Amino acid sequence: LNEVQLIQETAQEADKLPALEEISGGKTNFEKDNLNVEIKDLSLEVSNELNSEPPSQAWVFNQLRKTMSWLDWKYSPPNDWERCSLRTYYFHKIKTIFTGVPKTGCSTWLMALLHAEGEMMGETDPERADTLSHGTVFAHHRIKGMVEAHGKSVVNGAYSFAVVRNPWTRLVSGYRDLFYGEKKNEQYRAIGIHIVREMRGITDPERLQDLHPTFADYAKWLVKKGSHHHDRYFYPQVIDLCIPHAMYDFIIPLEHSEVLSKKVLSAINLHGTYLLGSYDKSSDPRYQKSTLHAKEWLSLLDPDVTDRLYSFYKADFMLMNYSNFTHPDFPLPLH
């Protein structure tokens, strides 16, 4: 199955997922509610160097419990992995469960896990990683089929983890990947043209072929479409995570993945496994391209659009108490 087929399947399964209105505070059409507090800078000391100490897993899971409580989601053991999203996978040989949330480095992890399974040997061109890794896991590792093949007790004994990311940089990274024109993405080109047509009112097919949506176009379109858009690429991360049906053993904030990924690899005995590095030259997430673009582009949006986007992704911000784009330590978790 390719990404287009995944989108089609996801649309069919959308009614089985928690309603996005629940995540935006029980309001439809991104109405503001009393829970949507103003997002502004906190008066914290700013360091010139990245604080390399990641949040503890105790802190991470305390934040997860707060988020679930706000959503009124309740976890009841044992884990029920069969009810998880299409992006949760099981790797039987290494007894590992992984949820690949889009734009959190999931292709990198899938490549590493497939190498460990012995299904993708040798060096692989990083530019082909996304196609190769997703094609293989879609066909052979989706959690529901693996539970049916190996049994619940076997799968429940596996080590499980997921990666999450600051919603602002994830949003910008998705825009850059799909619509900005930095990369050629034919699968989403039709959606990009549709965004330009809908948000700018341009209908001439010849003109549209040479146009890409601006970030402002993209942001306004997300606000307008909201939960009526069935492509999970644009959904909040909490939709793809297996909560409340299952609880992970480990959750990595992408901003601290350089340290925490080593702990996960050690836990599943993959000491010789490598992870493809970020294409970004800066190892400090505060100075990576998506962060710098986020600061600039989000600051130029109409404040009402920014507020509505925040309301839409509020549960994702709560996951790791993520910093706002105006905060000096953006995009780090504030722990």
Side-chain angles (χ1 to χ4, degrees):
L1 289 174
N2 58 30
E3 186 72 13
V4 174
Q5 289 172 296
L6 175 68
I7 292 169
Q8 292 170 343
E9 282 191 25
T10 303
Q12 294 169 358
E13 291 204 355
D15 290 337
K16 302 176 184 177
L17 298 170
L20 290 185
E21 284 79 3
E22 295 177 17
I23 297 173
S24 57
K27 302 288 184 180
T28 58
N29 298 323
F30 303 102
E31 292 178 60
K32 295 181 183 180
D33 59 26
N34 292 330
L35 289 172
N36 187 12
V37 296
E38 291 183 20
I39 41 178
K40 48 191 171 184
D41 292 348
L42 302 179
S43 56
L44 299 178
E45 291 291 331
V46 182
S47 170
N48 290 326
E49 296 183 2
L50 175 67
N51 177 12
S52 59
E53 188 66 30
S56 69
Q57 286 297 292
W59 182 90
V60 165
F61 281 95
N62 186 49
Q63 284 300 125
L64 183 63
R65 285 190 290 270
K66 288 180 181 179
T67 305
M68 290 174 61
S69 177
W70 182 73
L71 291 168
D72 198 24
W73 290 358
K74 294 179 175 61
Y75 167 66
S76 299
N79 288 336
D80 191 359
W81 294 105
E82 288 178 286
R83 299 182 63 186
C84 295
S85 78
L86 295 173
R87 298 185 189 273
T88 296
Y89 312 104
Y90 172 65
F91 300 86
H92 184 60
K93 292 180 182 177
I94 58 175
K95 300 293 188 293
T96 301
I97 294 169
F98 172 65
T99 297
V101 176
K103 305 313 300 175
T104 62
C106 62
S107 296
T108 295
W109 274 104
L110 290 173
M111 285 289 292
L113 294 169
L114 288 169
H115 272 281
E117 283 280 288
E119 297 181 29
M120 197 169 284
M121 306 303 292
E123 297 292 332
T124 302
D125 183 351
E127 293 186 3
R128 299 177 61 214
D130 189 74
T131 301
L132 291 172
S133 59
H134 283 84
T136 302
V137 295
F138 289 167
H140 303 294
H141 292 280
R142 282 182 174 171
I143 192 74
K144 185 174 181 180
M146 299 303 279
V147 171
E148 293 172 352
H150 300 286
K152 282 189 176 184
S153 61
V154 172
V155 174
N156 280 346
Y159 182 86
S160 58
F161 74 101
V163 184
V164 297
R165 184 178 190 177
N166 188 302
W168 289 138
T169 51
R170 180 172 175 257
L171 184 70
V172 168
S173 180
Y175 166 73
R176 291 178 63 205
D177 189 31
L178 303 180
F179 304 121
Y180 189 38
E182 286 179 311
K183 301 177 183 178
K184 197 169 183 178
N185 195 320
E186 295 297 336
Q187 290 179 346
Y188 282 85
R189 183 67 186 122
I191 296 179
I193 291 173
H194 174 76
I195 293 173
V196 174
R197 182 191 298 116
E198 186 169 348
M199 304 314 299
R200 297 191 214 170
I202 298 173
T203 57
D204 184 344
E206 291 188 7
R207 285 187 64 194
L208 286 168
Q209 290 305 314
D210 296 324
L211 295 175
H212 295 271
T214 64
F215 182 75
D217 292 332
Y218 172 58
K220 292 174 184 177
W221 176 76
L222 283 176
V223 167
K224 182 177 180 180
K225 286 296 182 182
S227 60
H228 299 293
H229 198 288
H230 290 306
D231 188 341
R232 287 241 285 276
Y233 209 104
F234 311 114
Y235 275 15
Q237 295 166 91
V238 290
I239 290 294
D240 272 318
L241 295 177
C242 285
I243 57 173
H245 309 304
M247 291 296 283
Y248 297 92
D249 292 302
F250 207 95
I251 296 178
I252 301 175
L254 181 65
E255 297 76 16
H256 289 284
S257 61
E258 187 172 352
V259 173
L260 295 181
S261 62
K262 296 174 184 177
K263 294 188 177 183
V264 170
L265 292 172
S266 176
I268 54 181
N269 296 314
L270 300 186
H271 303 285
T273 301
Y274 69 94
L275 290 174
L276 299 174
S278 169
Y279 66 86
D280 201 297
K281 293 181 180 180
S282 176
S283 60
D284 186 334
R286 298 178 300 178
Y287 301 107
Q288 291 177 348
K289 285 185 178 180
S290 285
T291 301
L292 300 179
H293 282 310
K295 288 181 176 182
E296 178 185 0
W297 294 342
L298 287 162
S299 68
L300 296 175
L301 289 181
D302 184 305
D304 183 63
V305 174
T306 308
D307 287 347
R308 292 185 177 199
L309 284 172
Y310 172 72
S311 180
F312 185 50
Y313 292 107
K314 182 170 181 179
D316 285 358
F317 282 101
M318 294 178 68
L319 276 173
M320 296 292 127
N321 194 29
Y322 271 121
S323 51
N324 186 31
F325 65 91
T326 54
H327 191 279
D329 278 334
F330 172 72
L332 301 180
L334 301 177
H335 64 286

mmCIF file of all heavy atoms in Angstrom, residues 314-335:
data_model
loop_
_atom_site.group_PDB
_atom_site.id
_atom_site.type_symbol
_atom_site.label_atom_id
_atom_site.label_comp_id
_atom_site.label_asym_id
_atom_site.label_seq_id
_atom_site.Cartn_x
_atom_site.Cartn_y
_atom_site.Cartn_z
ATOM 1 N N LYS A 314 -4.291 21.979 20.606
ATOM 2 C CA LYS A 314 -4.020 22.213 22.027
ATOM 3 C C LYS A 314 -3.578 20.949 22.760
ATOM 4 O O LYS A 314 -2.667 20.979 23.590
ATOM 5 C CB LYS A 314 -5.240 22.804 22.727
ATOM 6 C CG LYS A 314 -4.959 23.096 24.193
ATOM 7 C CD LYS A 314 -6.042 23.899 24.863
ATOM 8 C CE LYS A 314 -5.679 24.175 26.310
ATOM 9 N NZ LYS A 314 -6.679 24.985 27.013
ATOM 10 N N ALA A 315 -4.212 19.821 22.488
ATOM 11 C CA ALA A 315 -3.827 18.583 23.161
ATOM 12 C C ALA A 315 -2.383 18.218 22.854
ATOM 13 O O ALA A 315 -1.664 17.689 23.709
ATOM 14 C CB ALA A 315 -4.759 17.444 22.752
ATOM 15 N N ASP A 316 -1.921 18.517 21.635
ATOM 16 C CA ASP A 316 -0.532 18.245 21.276
ATOM 17 C C ASP A 316 0.426 19.139 22.054
ATOM 18 O O ASP A 316 1.524 18.713 22.432
ATOM 19 C CB ASP A 316 -0.323 18.458 19.778
ATOM 20 C CG ASP A 316 -0.898 17.334 18.939
ATOM 21 O OD1 ASP A 316 -1.421 16.365 19.517
ATOM 22 O OD2 ASP A 316 -0.832 17.432 17.696
ATOM 23 N N PHE A 317 0.041 20.388 22.282
ATOM 24 C CA PHE A 317 0.876 21.272 23.103
ATOM 25 C C PHE A 317 0.949 20.754 24.530
ATOM 26 O O PHE A 317 2.003 20.791 25.173
ATOM 27 C CB PHE A 317 0.311 22.694 23.101
ATOM 28 C CG PHE A 317 0.624 23.476 21.863
ATOM 29 C CD1 PHE A 317 -0.314 23.626 20.866
ATOM 30 C CD2 PHE A 317 1.872 24.048 21.694
ATOM 31 C CE1 PHE A 317 -0.030 24.341 19.719
ATOM 32 C CE2 PHE A 317 2.182 24.772 20.554
ATOM 33 C CZ PHE A 317 1.218 24.919 19.558
ATOM 34 N N MET A 318 -0.174 20.254 25.044
ATOM 35 C CA MET A 318 -0.213 19.755 26.413
ATOM 36 C C MET A 318 0.637 18.509 26.593
ATOM 37 O O MET A 318 1.175 18.267 27.681
ATOM 38 C CB MET A 318 -1.660 19.453 26.805
ATOM 39 C CG MET A 318 -2.551 20.680 26.891
ATOM 40 S SD MET A 318 -4.253 20.263 27.303
ATOM 41 C CE MET A 318 -4.043 19.698 29.002
ATOM 42 N N LEU A 319 0.786 17.710 25.545
ATOM 43 C CA LEU A 319 1.524 16.448 25.646
ATOM 44 C C LEU A 319 2.876 16.613 26.329
ATOM 45 O O LEU A 319 3.257 15.821 27.185
ATOM 46 C CB LEU A 319 1.736 15.846 24.252
ATOM 47 C CG LEU A 319 0.611 15.014 23.656
ATOM 48 C CD1 LEU A 319 0.941 14.647 22.218
ATOM 49 C CD2 LEU A 319 0.374 13.750 24.480
ATOM 50 N N MET A 320 3.622 17.649 25.922
ATOM 51 C CA MET A 320 4.955 17.876 26.479
ATOM 52 C C MET A 320 5.100 19.291 27.021
ATOM 53 O O MET A 320 6.215 19.794 27.152
ATOM 54 C CB MET A 320 6.038 17.632 25.411
ATOM 55 C CG MET A 320 6.128 16.230 24.907
ATOM 56 S SD MET A 320 6.732 15.066 26.155
ATOM 57 C CE MET A 320 5.433 13.834 26.075
ATOM 58 N N ASN A 321 3.992 19.948 27.329
ATOM 59 C CA ASN A 321 4.034 21.341 27.758
ATOM 60 C C ASN A 321 4.931 22.142 26.811
ATOM 61 O O ASN A 321 5.878 22.829 27.225
ATOM 62 C CB ASN A 321 4.550 21.462 29.188
ATOM 63 C CG ASN A 321 4.302 22.842 29.780
ATOM 64 O OD1 ASN A 321 3.352 23.525 29.425
ATOM 65 N ND2 ASN A 321 5.187 23.264 30.680
ATOM 66 N N TYR A 322 4.614 22.043 25.521
ATOM 67 C CA TYR A 322 5.486 22.615 24.498
ATOM 68 C C TYR A 322 5.463 24.141 24.504
ATOM 69 O O TYR A 322 4.438 24.776 24.738
ATOM 70 C CB TYR A 322 5.094 22.102 23.112
ATOM 71 C CG TYR A 322 5.795 20.827 22.738
ATOM 72 C CD1 TYR A 322 5.081 19.671 22.434
ATOM 73 C CD2 TYR A 322 7.187 20.772 22.669
ATOM 74 C CE1 TYR A 322 5.731 18.501 22.075
ATOM 75 C CE2 TYR A 322 7.847 19.604 22.315
ATOM 76 C CZ TYR A 322 7.121 18.478 22.012
ATOM 77 O OH TYR A 322 7.776 17.324 21.668
ATOM 78 N N SER A 323 6.620 24.731 24.209
ATOM 79 C CA SER A 323 6.782 26.175 24.175
ATOM 80 C C SER A 323 6.120 26.771 22.943
ATOM 81 O O SER A 323 6.016 26.124 21.893
ATOM 82 C CB SER A 323 8.274 26.539 24.192
ATOM 83 O OG SER A 323 8.972 25.818 23.181
ATOM 84 N N ASN A 324 5.700 28.017 23.082
ATOM 85 C CA ASN A 324 5.125 28.761 21.973
ATOM 86 C C ASN A 324 6.247 29.284 21.074
ATOM 87 O O ASN A 324 7.409 29.387 21.493
ATOM 88 C CB ASN A 324 4.282 29.915 22.512
ATOM 89 C CG ASN A 324 3.539 30.646 21.412
ATOM 90 O OD1 ASN A 324 3.177 30.041 20.405
ATOM 91 N ND2 ASN A 324 3.323 31.928 21.580
ATOM 92 N N PHE A 325 5.905 29.668 19.829
ATOM 93 C CA PHE A 325 6.930 30.107 18.874
ATOM 94 C C PHE A 325 7.588 31.422 19.284
ATOM 95 O O PHE A 325 8.631 31.781 18.743
ATOM 96 C CB PHE A 325 6.346 30.214 17.467
ATOM 97 C CG PHE A 325 5.293 31.274 17.293
ATOM 98 C CD1 PHE A 325 5.627 32.554 16.899
ATOM 99 C CD2 PHE A 325 3.950 30.977 17.497
ATOM 100 C CE1 PHE A 325 4.668 33.539 16.733
ATOM 101 C CE2 PHE A 325 2.971 31.940 17.329
ATOM 102 C CZ PHE A 325 3.319 33.229 16.950
ATOM 103 N N THR A 326 7.008 32.164 20.223
ATOM 104 C CA THR A 326 7.618 33.402 20.704
ATOM 105 C C THR A 326 8.531 33.192 21.910
ATOM 106 O O THR A 326 9.171 34.132 22.368
ATOM 107 C CB THR A 326 6.516 34.411 21.097
ATOM 108 O OG1 THR A 326 5.628 33.783 22.036
ATOM 109 C CG2 THR A 326 5.734 34.870 19.875
ATOM 110 N N HIS A 327 8.573 31.985 22.405
ATOM 111 C CA HIS A 327 9.399 31.695 23.578
ATOM 112 C C HIS A 327 10.865 31.558 23.166
ATOM 113 O O HIS A 327 11.170 30.987 22.120
ATOM 114 C CB HIS A 327 8.924 30.405 24.248
ATOM 115 C CG HIS A 327 9.527 30.165 25.598
ATOM 116 N ND1 HIS A 327 10.788 29.633 25.762
ATOM 117 C CD2 HIS A 327 9.055 30.409 26.843
ATOM 118 C CE1 HIS A 327 11.061 29.548 27.052
ATOM 119 N NE2 HIS A 327 10.027 30.012 27.723
ATOM 120 N N PRO A 328 11.815 32.067 23.959
ATOM 121 C CA PRO A 328 13.233 32.003 23.577
ATOM 122 C C PRO A 328 13.776 30.592 23.428
ATOM 123 O O PRO A 328 14.757 30.387 22.705
ATOM 124 C CB PRO A 328 13.951 32.757 24.708
ATOM 125 C CG PRO A 328 12.973 32.806 25.842
ATOM 126 C CD PRO A 328 11.624 32.828 25.219
ATOM 127 N N ASP A 329 13.173 29.620 24.107
ATOM 128 C CA ASP A 329 13.652 28.244 23.975
ATOM 129 C C ASP A 329 12.747 27.402 23.076
ATOM 130 O O ASP A 329 12.789 26.171 23.117
ATOM 131 C CB ASP A 329 13.776 27.583 25.350
ATOM 132 C CG ASP A 329 15.073 27.961 26.044
ATOM 133 O OD1 ASP A 329 16.047 28.292 25.337
ATOM 134 O OD2 ASP A 329 15.117 27.946 27.285
ATOM 135 N N PHE A 330 11.922 28.046 22.283
ATOM 136 C CA PHE A 330 11.120 27.342 21.288
ATOM 137 C C PHE A 330 12.038 26.522 20.387
ATOM 138 O O PHE A 330 13.078 27.018 19.971
ATOM 139 C CB PHE A 330 10.344 28.371 20.459
ATOM 140 C CG PHE A 330 9.620 27.825 19.276
ATOM 141 C CD1 PHE A 330 8.485 27.065 19.431
ATOM 142 C CD2 PHE A 330 10.085 28.056 17.980
ATOM 143 C CE1 PHE A 330 7.808 26.551 18.340
ATOM 144 C CE2 PHE A 330 9.418 27.559 16.893
ATOM 145 C CZ PHE A 330 8.272 26.797 17.071
ATOM 146 N N PRO A 331 11.742 25.269 20.093
ATOM 147 C CA PRO A 331 10.487 24.520 20.294
ATOM 148 C C PRO A 331 10.541 23.512 21.436
ATOM 149 O O PRO A 331 9.838 22.506 21.397
ATOM 150 C CB PRO A 331 10.376 23.788 18.959
ATOM 151 C CG PRO A 331 11.798 23.408 18.631
ATOM 152 C CD PRO A 331 12.637 24.548 19.154
ATOM 153 N N LEU A 332 11.370 23.745 22.450
ATOM 154 C CA LEU A 332 11.590 22.729 23.472
ATOM 155 C C LEU A 332 10.383 22.548 24.399
ATOM 156 O O LEU A 332 9.600 23.479 24.606
ATOM 157 C CB LEU A 332 12.796 23.106 24.318
ATOM 158 C CG LEU A 332 14.127 23.285 23.576
ATOM 159 C CD1 LEU A 332 15.224 23.658 24.575
ATOM 160 C CD2 LEU A 332 14.495 22.041 22.814
ATOM 161 N N PRO A 333 10.252 21.351 24.988
ATOM 162 C CA PRO A 333 9.277 21.176 26.075
ATOM 163 C C PRO A 333 9.719 22.010 27.270
ATOM 164 O O PRO A 333 10.921 22.155 27.532
ATOM 165 C CB PRO A 333 9.363 19.674 26.397
ATOM 166 C CG PRO A 333 10.078 19.048 25.258
ATOM 167 C CD PRO A 333 10.967 20.104 24.690
ATOM 168 N N LEU A 334 8.775 22.549 27.999
ATOM 169 C CA LEU A 334 9.088 23.344 29.190
ATOM 170 C C LEU A 334 8.902 22.464 30.417
ATOM 171 O O LEU A 334 7.817 22.374 30.979
ATOM 172 C CB LEU A 334 8.187 24.587 29.252
ATOM 173 C CG LEU A 334 8.314 25.518 28.035
ATOM 174 C CD1 LEU A 334 7.337 26.679 28.155
ATOM 175 C CD2 LEU A 334 9.740 26.031 27.890
ATOM 176 N N HIS A 335 9.990 21.788 30.791
ATOM 177 C CA HIS A 335 9.910 20.834 31.904
ATOM 178 C C HIS A 335 10.781 21.290 33.066
ATOM 179 O O HIS A 335 11.582 22.194 32.943
ATOM 180 C CB HIS A 335 10.330 19.439 31.446
ATOM 181 C CG HIS A 335 11.770 19.344 31.015
ATOM 182 N ND1 HIS A 335 12.217 19.875 29.814
ATOM 183 C CD2 HIS A 335 12.851 18.793 31.604
ATOM 184 C CE1 HIS A 335 13.516 19.636 29.674
ATOM 185 N NE2 HIS A 335 13.930 18.996 30.756
#
